[in-house]
Amino acid sequence: TFDGGSTALLKFSGSTSSGLAVQTFDLTNATGSYDGDITVSKTGGQVTLLSDLRVDASSQDLTIASGTLDMAGKNIFASGSAVTFAVQNGGNLQLQGGETITTGSSTYPQLQTGSTVIYNGTSGTYILKDYTYYHLSLNGAGTFSASSGTLRIDGNFDHATGTFNHSSGTVLFTG
């Protein structure tokens, strides 16, 4: 049973060998009621959002330390006072491309050295978020379009499937 307003750390961990490779996170009817830090720290597999995620309590953190957080078409609102949203080395943020990530700062999410953002939209056109990526992976059947400005990738660019459109902008590879 979920007790709204909890401030305890919620940590998703596990691996394929532990039987916890795939986990889900559902705050339906409780969105905005969890006030503790949330950490994805998996040696294998992913956590899939089944509802929007609101990280808006003062100093609340959302950290993807390792493994994957799959937004799966849901939205993340990380806009509280002193909120941190970080994807660390070995962490993966996966989204289709149409999701909204609302933050209180233009520097979030923090895509740290070694982090990966994976776009896996299956149909239609998706505009890549205007971030400075470390590793960027396009792995869906959709069309992935850069904004008309500069798309910066500091690490690897993996275009596995789908169509990439530079949108007459600049693609800057610095890694």
Side-chain angles (χ1 to χ4, degrees):
T1 302
F2 175 75
D3 180 17
S6 177
T7 58
L9 169 67
L10 178 60
K11 183 176 182 178
F12 292 93
S13 60
S15 64
T16 304
S17 61
S18 71
L20 297 172
V22 178
Q23 297 170 308
T24 58
F25 187 28
D26 188 355
L27 285 175
T28 302
N29 299 321
T31 299
S33 296
Y34 187 78
D35 294 336
D37 293 343
I38 301 167
T39 299
V40 175
S41 182
K42 302 177 68 60
T43 56
Q46 68 185 36
V47 176
T48 302
L49 291 181
L50 298 181
S51 64
D52 288 347
L53 177 58
R54 201 167 283 282
V55 183
D56 58 4
S58 180
S59 299
Q60 186 177 13
D61 297 332
L62 172 59
T63 304
I64 307 169
S66 58
T68 300
L69 176 62
D70 183 356
M71 293 179 62
K74 305 303 179 194
N75 302 305
I76 294 177
F77 304 93
S79 57
S81 172
V83 165
T84 300
F85 177 12
V87 185
Q88 297 176 344
N89 183 7
N92 305 306
L93 176 62
Q94 182 170 291
L95 59 158
Q96 296 167 0
E99 298 92 338
T100 299
I101 299 176
T102 303
T103 65
S105 168
S106 62
T107 61
Y108 291 124
Q110 294 174 351
L111 302 175
Q112 298 175 1
T113 300
S115 67
T116 302
V117 176
I118 304 162
Y119 287 87
N120 69 347
T122 57
S123 64
T125 299
Y126 303 96
I127 305 299
L128 300 178
K129 306 294 184 204
D130 191 20
Y131 302 145
T132 295
Y133 296 91
Y134 193 78
H135 300 309
L136 175 62
S137 177
L138 305 180
N139 192 14
T143 297
F144 303 95
S145 295
S147 66
S148 59
T150 299
L151 173 65
R152 180 177 169 159
I153 304 166
D154 290 341
N156 298 325
F157 177 61
D158 177 25
H159 180 194
T161 58
T163 302
F164 174 68
N165 180 355
H166 62 77
S167 302
S168 297
T170 301
V171 180
L172 181 61
F173 297 98
T174 63

